Amino acid sequence: MDLRILVVEDEPEMAALLARGLRHEGYVVDVADNGIDAITLSNGEPYDIAVLDVMLPGMSGFELCRRLREQVQGIAILLLTARDAVDDRIRGLDAGADDYLTKPFAFAELAARLRALRRRDSIGATRLDLDVGSLHIDLIRREITCAGRQLRLSRTEFDLLRLLADNVDRVVPRADILESLWGSADHIDANIVDQYVSYVRRKLDAVEAPVRITTSRGVGFQLVAIPS
């Protein structure tokens, strides 16, 4: 079945270029130039992925991201931004984005990021759940609970924690994380792994999860259970 992508971009030339390129990649593409129209479209179509410009008229890409995350079950969201500030990246992740891409970018990089988002659902697909101490990962519902408290993660954060949990007590090399979650290191800054690890750590700490992510300097990351 063809995957449906919602592109929300208010610059007509950029929107046309994105739509043409994505259709060439085999996606079914709808385009909106503002958040209200995007929400209206999402009410009628089961989109798999949304590509959102941050600087939109009326409603920012951050706010649109939050609304789509609440409204469309399982949608993957990639933000396009001309900004490169760490605060904007964090704001996007807080809003529920799975990935972000800073303008200007090569279309090949966008296509690679989208292929990576598509692959993530297949990681660990033969298993139903994972448990690390009282941390429970439901692979079917894509939900994580800790002692009955739900841990709210974006798709990328979920897939990172799932990968580490599937290799609990083993160091997962940074290159393997890049390959598993983003498909290739060719177009990706390796520091993105550290950024997402930092973000997941904060969320684990917020619910006092009985696990921690340790760093093996120069190698990768490891999920370990904290003895009770």
Side-chain angles (χ1 to χ4, degrees):
M1 184 175 60
D2 293 329
L3 292 183
R4 301 192 69 92
I5 289 188
L6 175 62
V7 173
V8 189
E9 169 61 67
D10 66 325
E11 296 180 12
E13 185 176 350
M14 173 64 79
L17 287 172
L18 289 173
R20 185 163 60 248
L22 291 170
R23 287 172 182 141
H24 183 72
E25 291 283 318
Y27 297 102
V28 176
V29 183
D30 289 329
V31 178
D33 61 6
N34 65 83
I36 298 300
D37 287 349
I39 289 173
T40 300
L41 285 170
S42 68
N43 282 329
E45 295 291 347
Y47 291 108
D48 301 289
I49 302 173
V51 177
L52 314 178
D53 185 29
V54 166
M55 301 298 290
L56 294 171
M59 180 189 302
S60 74
F62 297 126
E63 177 61 24
L64 177 56
C65 178
R66 274 190 290 271
R67 295 196 185 189
L68 289 176
R69 177 62 65 215
E70 294 171 355
Q71 180 174 309
V72 185
Q73 180 68 30
I75 191 171
I77 300 174
L78 186 145
L79 292 179
L80 302 178
T81 176
R83 306 171 180 178
D84 197 25
V86 172
D87 287 347
D88 288 323
R89 298 175 191 172
I90 292 174
R91 186 178 176 190
L93 295 173
D94 271 334
D98 299 293
D99 204 354
Y100 58 85
L101 195 55
T102 302
K103 295 180 178 179
F105 57 85
F107 182 82
E109 179 175 3
L110 173 65
R113 299 282 187 103
L114 295 179
R115 287 194 297 271
L117 286 174
R118 291 169 55 185
R119 276 193 295 269
R120 291 177 191 173
D121 286 336
S122 66
I123 301 173
T126 58
R127 303 186 61 172
L128 299 178
D129 52 29
L130 288 169
D131 290 289
V132 181
S134 62
L135 189 75
H136 178 73
I137 304 176
D138 187 323
L139 300 178
I140 302 301
R141 295 185 177 87
R142 295 180 65 83
E143 295 177 349
I144 299 178
T145 55
C146 175
R149 299 175 63 186
Q150 187 167 2
L151 187 63
R152 297 181 61 84
L153 300 178
S154 72
R155 283 169 58 105
T156 300
E157 294 162 353
F158 178 93
D159 290 327
L160 172 60
L161 186 54
R162 176 173 66 176
L163 178 62
L164 295 175
D166 204 32
N167 293 274
V168 66
D169 295 326
R170 296 198 299 270
V171 175
V172 181
R174 184 178 281 99
D176 288 357
I177 297 174
L178 275 171
E179 179 67 28
S180 294
L181 270 64
W182 284 275
S184 170
D186 294 343
H187 301 290
I188 308 294
D189 183 349
N191 288 330
I192 197 171
V193 175
D194 301 75
Q195 293 167 10
Y196 275 95
V197 166
S198 175
Y199 213 68
V200 172
R201 280 173 172 157
R202 286 171 52 191
K203 293 190 174 182
L204 289 172
D205 289 343
V207 298
E208 299 180 343
V211 298
R212 67 175 181 270
I213 301 175
T214 63
T215 302
S216 178
R217 190 173 299 277
V219 180
F221 300 93
Q222 177 181 14
L223 184 71
V224 297
I226 300 173
S228 56

